[in-house]
Amino acid sequence: MARKISIYPNTRLEGHGKVEIILDDAGNVIDVYFQVIEFRGFEKFCEGRYVEELPRITPKICGVCPGAHHMASTKACDAVYGASPPPAARMLREIYYNAHMAHSHILHFFALGAPDLLLMDEGAAKRNLFGLVEKLGKEVGAAVVDARGYAQRIQEIIGGHPIYPVTGLPGGLAKPLLPEERAEIVELARALVTFSQKSLEIFARAVLQNRQLAALIAGDLYRHETYYAGLVDEKKRVNFYEGRIRVVDPEGREVALFEGQDYLQEIAEHVEPWSYIKFPYLKKIGWQGFNDGPASGIYRVNALARLNVAEGMATPLAQEAYERFFAFFGRKPVHHTLAYHWARLVELMYASERILELAQDPEITDPHVRAVPDRLPAEGVGVVEAPRGTLYHHYVTDKKGIVQKVNLIVATVQNNAAINLAVKKAAQGLIKNGAVDEKVLNMVEMAVRAYDPCLACASHMLPGRVPLEVLIYQGGKLRQRILPGVKTA
């Protein structure tokens, strides 16, 4: 009789999810499901609000990536009103947003991701930030805390709040940057550049020089050949704030390059009854089930995808790191899921350099930071690269600017199908003849954590649209399963 192993709750990620592993009678893996078991209603209860309120409402979707929702929402409001922010406002937004990216990448690498790489052989009690500090030294731990503080301070200066920003408005920002604030940002950015260099050095020393870890990162256990999507600038370099979405196939060939407002022509969403989040896929390829390869419409976003779709980085130190990254793997695109961790450090370097570059622009303190909209609102799409991948905000309003419809496609949703592929392959490679221990299950979870999923962002289905399954256990055994409309015992 088949048996089931549940990894629940998944740890070191945002939100509530679990991995269900189904074994056959011999103890080998039949199938694996990554299930998101929470739902949220942000799309629905944004309806009826004035659209300019959404940049302050949607950041509450998540405490980890509020900056991404604030900026995508603000850009969507620009589009709704047909407003173009003045140059100073655009640069300030980009500074803010790169600080948000740096803040998130530091968190994920050092607190959530690195313990998988550097403390893999330790028990669960040691695989965390405190165990990492013990291994790398207190000075590294202090530097991590300081660097996140620098990035958060930059967000506070421009966004008006260290966590939930409030300054984004249709056509610009609520306040300009003062000269003394600019001077502070320059110094903080320089410190972030130094920290980014040290972080890449730590990765090279602790991971790449460890043959076992290097082989795991470049091995087959966590490898899938998929399509990739991400924003690129006019030179097809990585850009988090603006650009066009570029899609490449598993061989790195460009198959699409489109404006964010055209996303519905390129992306469709598949639904499965066992998860509260959807499964986006490339419309032109189609949904072909949970399979990878060029015939499958599954694509990936996030840091690794952004490096794969880009032709380079727009800052010098990040470009050097980008070249080292691809030289190590010897090919492009890189299909190894654990490479997401390294890719985030390359992006951390870019974000830090970009903040410094923009903060030194003489126009940055121009007091003209808003072009007040002068047309009736209608419909608009805002797109940014969230830390976890491409984020779409799509709003439709009436002539008074009251929201009639909201559609959010967040990064984790776009990686959902790939995460399911990843946990299944890892489980099948690690679990043989029923031999399972805590280390094996953690290595299955590593396939999830590499994507840095944000499950609160990803699940937007309201109760009643997807039935909630209730499982009743007694004495450790499943006694009753209750599903609306289905009676089972």
Side-chain angles (χ1 to χ4, degrees), residues 241-481:
Y241 174 74
E242 64 184 349
R244 290 185 291 174
I245 297 93
R246 189 184 192 209
V247 181
V248 300
D249 70 9
E251 294 300 319
R253 294 181 292 256
E254 183 181 296
V255 295
L257 185 66
F258 61 94
E259 300 288 344
Q261 65 189 25
D262 300 323
Y263 78 102
L264 289 175
Q265 299 175 26
E266 305 290 338
I267 298 169
E269 294 178 286
H270 174 75
V271 176
E272 290 284 344
W274 42 266
S275 180
Y276 283 128
I277 68 175
K278 300 175 184 178
F279 300 84
Y281 60 92
L282 297 172
K283 227 174 193 180
K284 293 174 183 175
I285 310 299
W287 177 258
Q288 309 297 337
F290 292 95
N291 301 291
D292 60 3
S296 171
I298 291 174
Y299 67 99
R300 290 192 268 184
V301 295
N302 202 318
L304 177 62
R306 287 188 287 258
L307 297 194
N308 279 335
V309 304
E311 297 297 334
M313 311 298 288
T315 58
L317 295 178
Q319 178 63 26
E320 291 177 15
Y322 169 93
E323 291 170 4
R324 286 194 297 271
F325 176 86
F326 286 108
F328 174 84
F329 291 99
R331 64 156 291 160
K332 185 184 179 186
V334 169
H335 296 298
H336 304 277
T337 300
L338 295 186
Y340 272 101
H341 298 298
W342 188 357
R344 288 188 187 96
L345 295 183
V346 177
E347 291 194 331
L348 174 61
M349 175 56 76
Y350 165 71
S352 302
E353 287 186 287
R354 185 63 174 153
I355 295 168
L356 181 57
E357 180 182 283
L358 288 167
Q360 293 175 319
D361 190 297
E363 287 190 70
I364 201 70
T365 53
D366 186 336
H368 179 49
V369 292
R370 190 181 184 208
V372 177
D374 59 1
R375 81 169 202 191
L376 292 175
E379 180 174 0
V381 176
V383 181
V384 295
E385 281 295 324
R388 291 146 194 87
T390 318
L391 170 64
Y392 300 88
H393 275 228
H394 183 181
Y395 305 154
V396 179
T397 77
D398 64 13
K399 292 181 179 180
K400 295 181 179 179
I402 297 175
V403 176
Q404 306 299 302
K405 182 179 179 181
V406 172
N407 188 39
L408 308 177
I409 300 184
V410 305
T412 296
V413 170
Q414 293 169 83
N415 278 331
N416 190 24
I419 293 173
N420 277 272
L421 291 177
V423 292
K424 182 175 182 179
K425 186 171 184 178
Q428 288 178 327
L430 293 164
I431 300 173
K432 302 293 183 184
N433 302 318
V436 181
D437 59 19
E438 192 272 338
K439 180 180 178 180
V440 165
L441 295 182
N442 180 65
M443 290 184 72
V444 174
E445 265 196 283
M446 282 168 57
V448 179
R449 280 193 291 267
Y451 290 91
D452 189 17
C454 183
L455 305 183
C457 288
S459 53
H460 300 134
M461 190 64 71
L462 281 172
R465 294 289 301 278
V466 175
L468 175 65
E469 181 181 21
V470 178
L471 303 178
I472 300 175
Y473 289 85
Q474 183 179 5
K477 293 184 178 181
L478 178 63
R479 297 300 185 186
Q480 190 174 3
R481 174 174 173 263

Side-chain angles (χ1 to χ4, degrees), residues 158-319:
I158 298 173
H161 191 277
I163 301 172
Y164 293 114
V166 296
T167 55
L169 296 171
L173 290 175
K175 67 184 186 71
L177 187 70
L178 301 175
E180 58 270 26
E181 292 173 329
R182 171 190 177 178
E184 183 179 358
I185 290 174
V186 167
E187 292 308 307
L188 294 173
R190 285 179 176 144
L192 283 171
V193 170
T194 299
F195 176 80
S196 301
Q197 291 174 303
K198 290 180 178 178
S199 298
L200 285 164
E201 290 169 5
I202 289 171
F203 188 86
R205 182 173 64 251
V207 179
L208 299 183
Q209 293 178 18
N210 182 317
R211 291 184 180 180
Q212 180 185 1
L213 283 177
L216 185 67
I217 289 172
D220 189 60
L221 184 63
Y222 298 98
R223 184 178 186 276
H224 286 283
E225 294 195 3
T226 65
Y227 289 76
Y228 299 92
L231 276 179
V232 294
D233 66 16
E234 68 282 355
K235 295 183 179 179
K236 298 186 179 178
R237 302 170 303 188
V238 169
N239 192 290
F240 305 138
Y241 174 74
E242 64 184 349
R244 290 185 291 174
I245 297 93
R246 189 184 192 209
V247 181
V248 300
D249 70 9
E251 294 300 319
R253 294 181 292 256
E254 183 181 296
V255 295
L257 185 66
F258 61 94
E259 300 288 344
Q261 65 189 25
D262 300 323
Y263 78 102
L264 289 175
Q265 299 175 26
E266 305 290 338
I267 298 169
E269 294 178 286
H270 174 75
V271 176
E272 290 284 344
W274 42 266
S275 180
Y276 283 128
I277 68 175
K278 300 175 184 178
F279 300 84
Y281 60 92
L282 297 172
K283 227 174 193 180
K284 293 174 183 175
I285 310 299
W287 177 258
Q288 309 297 337
F290 292 95
N291 301 291
D292 60 3
S296 171
I298 291 174
Y299 67 99
R300 290 192 268 184
V301 295
N302 202 318
L304 177 62
R306 287 188 287 258
L307 297 194
N308 279 335
V309 304
E311 297 297 334
M313 311 298 288
T315 58
L317 295 178
Q319 178 63 26

Side-chain angles (χ1 to χ4, degrees), residues 42 46 54-62 69-70 73 393 395:
F42 268 85
C46 284
L54 297 195
R56 297 185 299 279
I57 293 173
T58 57
K60 307 306 190 297
I61 291 172
C62 176
H69 288 292
H70 180 72
S73 183
H393 275 228
Y395 305 154

